[in-house]
Amino acid sequence: MKSVNLKKLAEELNLSVATVSRALNDRYDISQATKDRVRELANKLNYEPNPYASSLRRQRSKTIGVVIPEVANHFFSLAINGIEEVARNNNYHVLVYLTHEDYQQEASIVRLLAGGRVDGVLLSVASTSHDLGHLDMLRERGIPMVFFDRVYDDMATAKVTTDDYDSGYRATRHLLEVGCRSIAHLTLSPSLSISRRRMQGYIDALRDAGVPFDESLVLQGGTNRTQDIDAIEQLLRQRRIDGIFASIESLAMCSYEACHNLGLRIPQDVKVIGFSNLEIASLLDPPLTTITQPAYSIGKEAARLLFQAITKNRPISLGHSQELKSELVIRASTSLEQSQARAAALAAYCVRRPAHYTENALASDPAPLQGF
Amino acid sequence: MKSVNLKKLAEELNLSVATVSRALNDRYDISQATKDRVRELANKLNYEPNPYASSLRRQRSKTIGVVIPEVANHFFSLAINGIEEVARNNNYHVLVYLTHEDYQQEASIVRLLAGGRVDGVLLSVASTSHDLGHLDMLRERGIPMVFFDRVYDDMATAKVTTDDYDSGYRATRHLLEVGCRSIAHLTLSPSLSISRRRMQGYIDALRDAGVPFDESLVLQGGTNRTQDIDAIEQLLRQRRIDGIFASIESLAMCSYEACHNLGLRIPQDVKVIGFSNLEIASLLDPPLTTITQPAYSIGKEAARLLFQAITKNRPISLGHSQELKSELVIRASTSLEQSQARAAALAAYCVRRPAHYTENALASDPAPLQGF
DNA sequence: TCATGTTCCGTAAACGTTTACGTAAATAAA
DNA sequence: TTTATTTACGTAAACGTTTACGGAACATGA
């Protein structure tokens, strides 16, 4: 029941506590013979140093905090995987906190962490977070932080993100290329960095194709599943929509449900593309065209940056930020239906666009795209 | 940069450190006026108590450890969700560790935790773990532990599991009822509690239906995705298989891939049922019949039990174990194909079985099932 | 011989809290 | 008044490490 500590080892070996400590830490001023004796007994008694005493004395917790909106989301699961791996390789421990997309919770968690519980923080901001005042404490206390995926633009620290603007642009352009002209955009809170960038890509792609941007085709969701489905159904009933671009995984899934409920066929009636990290996107009915983020790498990279700051004791700056590339994986949910004359006609237009993106490999004879 | 501590507060207020500490902890022997003064300054200076000093002194870390095989698995994600919620409600912190299904890692993680880093442990054992020697340290140190989902049977501590035997039985019987007679069983390591129970349910269901158990129809997988797919394809080529019962989610997905690769139709050629916690099982092609575990509740319940042990300081016993019920959700991947004469004939047999399970609601005129 | 250096270990303070114990002042009881 | 009790706070030890400092023992060089 009682745990073995340095004092016990010291008594047993007729040594001082200090000597035992130094022996275990392999200090130069302890003889090899003593080190061997100490280690042998430590192993025999299953000695484990008390982490809290050690942290208190060394002013170093060997722990990092990971703050994410939710874990039941493949992106964050994969990211945690990468983070945990890097942490363990550095003999660090990982505290996980969920904000449930709530600013208040995010703030109170950060406040806890700023109390010295962790040596560094990895954060992906909640969708309802509107300002970054709660992060000042971390800076004041000198606790390094790295954002991943969802960031605050005006915070001077490293961020690991993906090419969200490009991804939004490419996703939208892909829908345009397969004939969509009335494209709904499903997004999270517009206060979110990723939402803004993806939406800007969407808007610019529309503009470049000469399709007017219609604000009423932008739907904000992501909180409640059934609520999201309802809202999408309503949008699909009100407007003649032939394409959906979902900014997060769950909204793509809700789109499937909504289309199913309304008897709309994918991709014949509505084409769907969504951000998603599900490996089983290809097993859906129909297989979902996705923007897939390198979630695991994002986690690893963010953790790597954080550990550089922690171990080198060098302040982390904006300059260390990284932007990784997402991948557009085209599947049946946005495929052209040969059987449909209209779609075919559209295809004729679409494949004529210049093909400087890889996903345009199917394009044959480039020519300018005209408005529809 | 420098953090504010009790000493600083005490100096500022002309009080002793002890008084400040007691004021903040709302002790009875401090005047209300002093408490107010102390709290005001603490708030003003954003004082946060040093958790490591506190843990060291109180011999209580306010932290629990969660050890799971992986996080990129919907079951564990949901469980963590439940765990984190309960932990936060109790003002506890959650350390997450991944074993990657590796016994060595599990052992070294547990050894770390036994060093006093946590007040309690929630563990779901790795598939390659063969003995529980590494868990002795937790018992010796008096650190309570609760197993969830994957347990060691011969360890005298609380476990939160699901009705794996029943689930295996019901899944298999369902396949039998829709006409399958050559049912493959895809499983993880047989050393795993859940695997053994689900398999026993499978075996007993076969026996009760008069279908001989064929060991060569049992396939062990779960490590590597492409490897799993290959193995399943091989099995499907070698044997005439009309049903697949996957003991874990990933193996059901691999079965879909394998069938797809071989041009086998689900459910016409092969019917598939799998354990899974994906909400989007209904969006697969075809929608997957699942055994769905109450993952979130399992996490919550396990955490609840653990906190009872921690707060009440009462040793946790086998008697506190809980078994929750999984749900069989029938979807198209196991549906009878009316268009197929053979299937229809089978159906005639199958629906005659006694209907004491809810999922048998469709049964009309009960009669004994004969071997096929 | 003494001075100097090296090797190896002990003493004690420190990290920031919590808490057992003591005590002065104020109040109540006698 | 004296004595007992309560109130409100301070003193100091403790939690288990780490580490600055010092010093004994021994070896080395002159």
Side-chain angles (χ1 to χ4, degrees):
Chain A
M1 199 73 177
K2 213 55 226 88
S3 75
V4 35
N5 53 20
L6 285 185
K7 183 152 53 147
K8 192 163 295 177
L9 291 181
E11 284 168 3
E12 200 94 11
L13 292 165
N14 272 323
L15 288 170
S16 74
V17 169
T19 301
V20 176
S21 172
R22 278 183 294 221
L24 290 171
N25 288 334
D26 203 23
R27 292 303 165 95
Y28 67 97
D29 59 351
I30 302 294
S31 72
Q32 192 56 49
T34 304
K35 284 181 184 173
D36 291 344
R37 280 179 64 216
V38 170
R39 282 186 196 141
E40 194 188 7
L41 185 67
N43 280 330
K44 188 174 139 216
L45 298 187
N46 269 328
Y47 168 76
E48 276 289 327
N50 182 308
Y52 297 110
S54 184
S55 291
L56 176 59
R57 177 59 226 238
R58 293 198 169 153
Q59 302 290 61
R60 183 142 274 203
S61 66
K62 291 237 141 208
T63 306
I64 63 170
V66 178
V67 185
I68 55 177
E70 46 174 349
V71 73
N73 168 313
H74 226 64
F75 173 81
F76 290 115
S77 298
L78 289 171
I80 286 190
N81 231 310
I83 292 167
E84 207 264 355
E85 184 172 321
V86 176
R88 264 182 76 65
N89 287 341
N90 289 60
N91 284 318
Y92 261 69
H93 302 257
V94 180
L95 283 169
V96 172
Y97 298 87
L98 309 180
T99 61
H100 300 284
E101 304 281 15
D102 181 55
Y103 173 71
Q104 291 303 329
Q105 295 218 36
E106 181 175 300
S108 77
I109 290 167
V110 167
R111 159 178 270 275
L112 278 179
L113 295 183
R117 190 174 292 273
V118 296
D119 297 341
V121 174
L122 295 175
L123 178 70
S124 204
V125 314
S127 62
T128 58
S129 295
H130 40 275
D131 75 300
L132 41 71
H134 57 304
L135 302 179
D136 287 344
M137 285 183 64
L138 290 175
R139 229 182 342 97
E140 286 169 15
R141 302 283 207 274
I143 299 174
M145 172 177 58
V146 175
F147 284 117
F148 67 104
D149 196 45
R150 305 180 180 186
V151 309
Y152 281 119
D153 284 321
D154 37 2
M155 176 109 184
T157 189
K159 317 171 206 279
V160 178
T161 54
T162 52
D163 51 346
D164 286 302
Y165 171 79
D166 274 357
S167 300
Y169 188 95
R170 286 152 65 198
T172 310
R173 205 188 49 178
H174 174 64
L175 287 174
L176 289 163
E177 284 172 351
V178 293
C180 301
R181 281 304 172 271
S182 179
I183 301 176
H185 180 47
L186 312 184
T187 183
L188 269 172
S189 161
S191 69
L192 220 48
S193 58
I194 53 170
S195 298
R196 279 203 311 276
R197 299 210 179 98
R198 291 170 188 178
M199 169 123 80
Q200 194 57 51
Y202 161 79
I203 292 173
D204 288 0
L206 290 178
R207 185 204 56 210
D208 290 354
V211 176
F213 167 55
D214 180 350
E215 201 165 351
S216 67
L217 293 183
V218 175
L219 184 66
Q220 190 177 330
T223 47
N224 177 284
R225 181 178 158 82
T226 57
Q227 204 170 305
D228 287 343
I229 295 176
D230 281 352
I232 296 170
E233 283 184 25
Q234 199 178 332
L235 184 63
L236 287 172
R237 267 195 303 260
Q238 285 173 351
R239 314 291 306 260
R240 160 110 190 68
I241 280 168
D242 54 14
I244 295 178
F245 168 32
S247 184
I248 58 169
E249 191 172 277
S250 72
L251 287 171
M253 299 302 121
C254 290
S255 301
Y256 268 51
E257 300 265 12
C259 288
H260 192 260
N261 292 347
L262 296 178
L264 293 170
R265 295 163 305 167
I266 304 172
Q268 292 92 331
D269 301 322
V270 183
K271 303 194 198 305
V272 179
I273 188 171
F275 273 81
S276 170
N277 285 278
L278 284 170
E279 321 93 332
I280 59 161
S282 65
L283 298 178
L284 293 173
D285 181 22
L288 174 66
T289 294
T290 59
I291 304 279
T292 300
Q293 297 176 274
Y296 175 77
S297 301
I298 291 175
K300 276 189 79 162
E301 196 54 37
R304 209 181 54 77
L305 285 178
L306 186 64
F307 280 112
Q308 279 189 3
I310 291 176
T311 56
K312 308 257 202 300
N313 209 17
R314 137 160 59 104
I316 208 158
S317 79
L318 247 177
H320 299 98
S321 297
Q322 299 238 352
E323 185 177 279
L324 309 183
K325 295 248 174 289
S326 293
E327 189 186 3
L328 172 59
V329 184
I330 298 176
R331 300 199 184 85
S333 71
T334 58
S335 74
L336 286 167
E337 281 296 312
Q338 269 73 6
S339 60
Q340 296 201 306
R342 178 170 161 281
L346 281 170
Y349 277 102
C350 295
V351 296
R352 289 169 192 275
R353 299 200 61 215
H356 49 271
Y357 280 78
T358 54
E359 63 263 29
N360 270 11
L362 36 107
S364 46
D365 48 348
L369 171 73
Q370 303 297 331
F372 187 53
Chain B
M1 197 73 175
K2 211 56 225 87
S3 75
V4 35
N5 53 21
L6 286 185
K7 183 153 49 147
K8 191 163 296 178
L9 291 182
E11 283 168 3
E12 200 93 10
L13 293 165
N14 272 324
L15 288 171
S16 74
V17 169
T19 301
V20 176
S21 171
R22 277 182 295 220
L24 290 171
N25 288 335
D26 204 22
R27 291 302 163 94
Y28 67 97
D29 58 352
I30 301 294
S31 74
Q32 192 57 48
T34 305
K35 285 181 184 175
D36 291 343
R37 280 181 63 219
V38 170
R39 282 188 195 137
E40 193 188 5
L41 185 66
N43 280 330
K44 189 176 140 217
L45 298 186
N46 269 328
Y47 168 75
E48 276 288 327
N50 182 308
Y52 297 109
S54 183
S55 291
L56 177 60
R57 176 60 226 237
R58 297 204 210 214
Q59 302 288 60
R60 185 144 273 205
S61 65
K62 291 239 146 211
T63 305
I64 63 171
V66 177
V67 185
I68 56 177
E70 46 175 350
V71 74
N73 168 313
H74 226 64
F75 173 81
F76 290 115
S77 299
L78 289 170
I80 286 189
N81 230 311
I83 292 166
E84 207 264 355
E85 183 172 324
V86 176
R88 264 183 76 67
N89 287 340
N90 289 61
N91 283 318
Y92 261 68
H93 303 258
V94 181
L95 284 168
V96 172
Y97 299 87
L98 309 180
T99 61
H100 299 284
E101 304 280 14
D102 181 56
Y103 173 71
Q104 291 304 330
Q105 295 218 36
E106 181 175 301
S108 77
I109 290 166
V110 167
R111 159 177 270 273
L112 278 179
L113 295 182
R117 189 173 293 271
V118 296
D119 296 341
V121 174
L122 295 176
L123 178 70
S124 204
V125 314
S127 62
T128 58
S129 295
H130 38 277
D131 75 300
L132 41 72
H134 56 304
L135 301 179
D136 286 345
M137 285 181 63
L138 289 174
R139 230 185 337 98
E140 286 169 15
R141 303 283 207 276
I143 299 174
M145 172 178 58
V146 175
F147 284 116
F148 67 104
D149 196 46
R150 305 179 180 187
V151 309
Y152 281 119
D153 284 321
D154 36 3
M155 177 109 184
T157 189
K159 315 169 208 279
V160 178
T161 55
T162 52
D163 51 347
D164 287 302
Y165 171 80
D166 274 358
S167 299
Y169 189 96
R170 288 152 63 199
T172 310
R173 206 188 51 177
H174 174 63
L175 286 175
L176 289 164
E177 285 172 353
V178 293
C180 301
R181 282 305 172 270
S182 180
I183 301 175
H185 180 46
L186 312 184
T187 182
L188 268 172
S189 161
S191 69
L192 221 47
S193 58
I194 52 170
S195 298
R196 279 204 311 276
R197 298 209 180 99
R198 291 170 187 178
M199 169 123 80
Q200 194 58 50
Y202 162 78
I203 292 174
D204 289 359
L206 290 178
R207 186 203 55 212
D208 290 355
V211 175
F213 167 55
D214 180 351
E215 201 165 350
S216 66
L217 293 183
V218 175
L219 184 67
Q220 190 176 329
T223 48
N224 177 283
R225 182 178 157 83
T226 57
Q227 204 169 306
D228 286 345
I229 295 176
D230 281 352
I232 296 169
E233 284 185 24
Q234 199 178 334
L235 184 64
L236 287 171
R237 267 195 303 260
Q238 284 172 352
R239 313 291 306 258
R240 162 118 189 60
I241 282 167
D242 54 13
I244 295 178
F245 168 31
S247 184
I248 58 170
E249 190 172 278
S250 72
L251 288 171
M253 298 302 120
C254 290
S255 300
Y256 269 50
E257 299 266 13
C259 287
H260 191 260
N261 292 347
L262 296 178
L264 293 170
R265 294 163 304 168
I266 304 173
Q268 294 91 331
D269 300 322
V270 182
K271 301 190 198 310
V272 179
I273 186 171
F275 273 81
S276 171
N277 285 278
L278 286 170
E279 321 94 333
I280 58 162
S282 64
L283 297 179
L284 293 173
D285 180 22
L288 175 65
T289 295
T290 58
I291 304 280
T292 300
Q293 297 177 274
Y296 176 76
S297 301
I298 291 176
K300 276 190 79 162
E301 196 54 38
R304 210 181 52 78
L305 285 179
L306 187 64
F307 280 111
Q308 279 190 1
I310 291 175
T311 56
K312 307 257 201 303
N313 209 15
R314 136 160 61 103
I316 206 158
S317 79
L318 247 175
H320 298 99
S321 296
Q322 297 237 355
E323 186 177 278
L324 308 183
K325 296 250 174 286
S326 292
E327 191 185 1
L328 172 59
V329 184
I330 297 176
R331 299 197 184 87
S333 71
T334 57
S335 74
L336 285 165
E337 282 296 311
Q338 268 73 6
S339 61
Q340 297 202 303
R342 180 172 159 280
L346 281 169
Y349 276 104
C350 296
V351 296
R352 290 168 192 276
R353 298 201 60 213
H356 50 271
Y357 280 78
T358 54
E359 64 262 30
N360 270 12
L362 36 105
S364 47
D365 49 346
L369 170 72
Q370 302 298 330
F372 186 53

